[in-house]
Amino acid sequence: MCGRYCLYDDGNEELRAIFDRTEGDFKMGEVFPTDKAPVLIQQSVSIQPQAVVWGFPGFRGKGVIINARAETVLEKPMFRNSIQTKRCVIPSSGFFEWSHDGKKTKYQFNLPGAGVLYMAGLYQDYEDGRRFVILTKPANESMKEIHTRMPLVLPKDSIPNWLRSIGSAANILHLPAPELTKKLILQ
């Protein structure tokens, strides 16, 4: 599961370029569900960042749905259309997860050697605007001791394939997750 992630303007040129090109206002720092954040969307021949609200409306108007399981996204009615034609990429400085050992210890996860962690997502247009969810998959060894699920992390070079081709996207859903590093966050 991914219930929070971060966007830091800490001199990372790759993120700075995304921030500068993003259409609309968005949240920096720790990003919570229902915040607006930059997402990368295929528009004609180019990939454009847009500020989009995190979370599809929940059932019967209650709450929001922030994640979709990669294993079932092709079958679930709520996500079926989005996976076909409305895939997006969520850039981040990393994501947060909490231990479930009774202490609720907070950790930040990052991709080693990369200044940006890209997560696969889906978007949909609603009456109140465009919204996105983050795809998740079973956790690998680098995450398992903290949580059973993790975001579907995209290598930077697979972003065009994820956005442009449902065939490539379907293959990406099943790729093994990369090993991540974790850092204790003192509160």
Side-chain angles (χ1 to χ4, degrees):
M1 171 149 166
C2 181
R4 299 232 190 103
Y5 67 94
C6 52
L7 282 171
Y8 297 128
D9 188 3
D10 56 3
N12 180 295
E13 291 180 24
E14 197 172 335
L15 275 178
R16 170 64 21 219
I18 292 169
F19 298 158
D20 289 345
R21 294 179 38 236
T22 300
E23 302 168 16
D25 294 330
F26 58 90
K27 171 92 180 280
M28 295 288 291
E30 191 165 343
V31 180
F32 293 76
T34 72
D35 285 341
K36 268 191 172 183
V39 298
L40 306 178
I41 295 175
Q42 182 72 43
Q43 292 185 325
S44 297
V45 295
S46 66
I47 298 171
Q48 295 296 319
Q50 295 179 4
V52 179
V53 173
W54 183 13
F56 284 8
F59 301 105
R60 296 185 202 104
K62 294 184 180 182
V64 291
I65 296 164
I66 60 171
N67 298 134
R69 289 177 174 258
E71 311 89 292
T72 60
V73 74
L74 291 164
E75 297 109 40
K76 294 286 185 183
M78 176 176 264
F79 307 116
R80 196 177 307 132
N81 287 343
S82 293
I83 190 65
Q84 295 294 324
T85 61
K86 295 183 177 182
R87 294 174 303 280
C88 64
V89 175
I90 301 95
S92 73
S93 301
F95 67 91
F96 298 113
E97 199 55 71
W98 287 260
S99 66
H100 294 277
D101 58 4
K103 298 176 188 173
K104 297 282 278 185
T105 306
K106 185 177 182 180
Y107 294 93
Q108 181 178 335
F109 287 87
N110 295 91
L111 192 58
V116 182
L117 184 140
Y118 293 100
M119 299 176 282
L122 306 173
Y123 71 93
Q124 192 61 259
D125 294 313
Y126 294 92
E127 287 181 18
D128 65 347
R130 187 163 280 176
R131 294 171 166 264
F132 75 93
V133 295
I134 296 172
L135 290 175
T136 65
K137 63 186 309 160
N140 64 13
E141 291 303 315
S142 64
M143 274 286 310
K144 266 185 186 171
E145 72 177 84
I146 305 300
H147 203 281
T148 59
R149 300 204 56 85
M150 65 187 290
L152 196 164
V153 176
L154 294 170
K156 185 179 178 183
D157 63 355
S158 69
I159 290 172
N161 289 336
W162 172 255
L163 294 174
R164 295 182 183 142
S165 164
I166 182 57
S168 295
N171 289 334
I172 290 169
L173 290 173
H174 304 291
L175 291 178
E179 294 296 309
L180 303 175
T181 58
K182 74 178 177 193
K183 175 174 71 172
L184 176 65
I185 304 295
L186 300 174
Q187 300 189 43

